[in-house]
Amino acid sequence: MKVGENDVTYLGNKQLLDRLKVGFLASRKISTSAILPTLDWAVEISKRTNVAVVSGFHSRLEKDVLKFLLQGKCGIIIVLACGMYRKLPKIYDTVMKENRLLIISLEKETVTRVSERTAHKRNKYVEKLADELRQIYSLWQPVLKLPILNRIH
């Protein structure tokens, strides 16, 4: 599943690729115990101007993280699992003007829907591009352990 440079289309600030790139991938189904710590992480990383968060921002949690990043100061690199947008969605107008956004498409413009194959290709590209990776996977991921309270008998 190699992606050649000729297959890649860019829109936005390519200099974001020179920053520390933190990849973020989250499954469609995750443990609820992972949500709040992940959103707290998103708030914190969104404040960092020397970082760019790389993701497809496709799953529900990835979209929620994106909302925080859009309000912050960090760079955002979106890797699409379909062709490049024909028209930039309005939610990206401000970050594009602030030079904080890079959109990367790995597919031809005629690919308009995400498939299992293109999603897998996108996720592999995010992993390859990232200097660090934060992954939130399935419901079976270990949950945070809380101290056991003393029981009253």
Side-chain angles (χ1 to χ4, degrees), residues 133-146:
L133 192 60
R134 182 174 179 96
Q135 295 175 303
I136 311 297
Y137 281 119
S138 79
L139 289 167
W140 311 115
Q141 213 176 13
V143 295
L144 299 172
K145 299 219 180 219
L146 299 173

Side-chain angles (χ1 to χ4, degrees), residues 15-80:
Q15 291 179 334
L16 293 175
L17 295 170
D18 298 330
R19 293 189 188 179
L20 173 67
K21 294 173 295 300
V22 179
F24 177 68
L25 297 171
S27 292
R28 289 175 294 196
K29 295 180 181 178
I30 56 162
S31 168
T32 54
S33 66
I35 295 171
L36 286 179
T38 300
L39 296 179
D40 288 343
W41 169 82
V43 168
E44 287 307 309
I45 202 158
S46 74
K47 298 173 186 175
R48 296 179 56 188
T49 57
N50 64 331
V51 168
V53 177
V54 184
S55 181
F57 299 107
H58 193 78
S59 73
R60 176 62 194 243
L61 185 57
E62 290 170 350
K63 289 177 183 177
D64 289 344
V65 164
L66 178 61
K67 289 176 188 172
F68 288 101
L69 300 180
L70 289 169
Q71 295 171 25
K73 301 283 185 213
C74 71
I76 301 167
I77 301 174
I78 301 172
V79 182
L80 300 175

Side-chain angles (χ1 to χ4, degrees), residues 49-116:
T49 57
N50 64 331
V51 168
V53 177
V54 184
S55 181
F57 299 107
H58 193 78
S59 73
R60 176 62 194 243
L61 185 57
E62 290 170 350
K63 289 177 183 177
D64 289 344
V65 164
L66 178 61
K67 289 176 188 172
F68 288 101
L69 300 180
L70 289 169
Q71 295 171 25
K73 301 283 185 213
C74 71
I76 301 167
I77 301 174
I78 301 172
V79 182
L80 300 175
C82 57
M84 183 57 75
Y85 296 124
R86 292 178 189 199
K87 184 174 191 274
L88 186 68
K90 283 226 176 272
I91 63 166
Y92 301 135
D93 283 349
T94 301
V95 288
M96 187 62 86
K97 287 176 188 163
E98 294 172 347
N99 254 353
R100 294 194 305 118
L101 180 64
L102 175 63
I103 301 171
I104 302 173
S105 172
L106 307 177
E107 303 298 330
K108 295 178 183 170
E109 204 173 278
T110 55
V111 179
T112 57
R113 294 191 183 266
V114 176
S115 68
E116 189 174 328

Side-chain angles (χ1 to χ4, degrees), residues 117-130:
R117 182 192 67 78
T118 62
H120 181 71
K121 182 177 172 182
R122 178 212 43 227
N123 291 349
K124 288 295 176 196
Y125 191 82
V126 167
E127 289 175 8
K128 179 181 155 195
L129 197 58

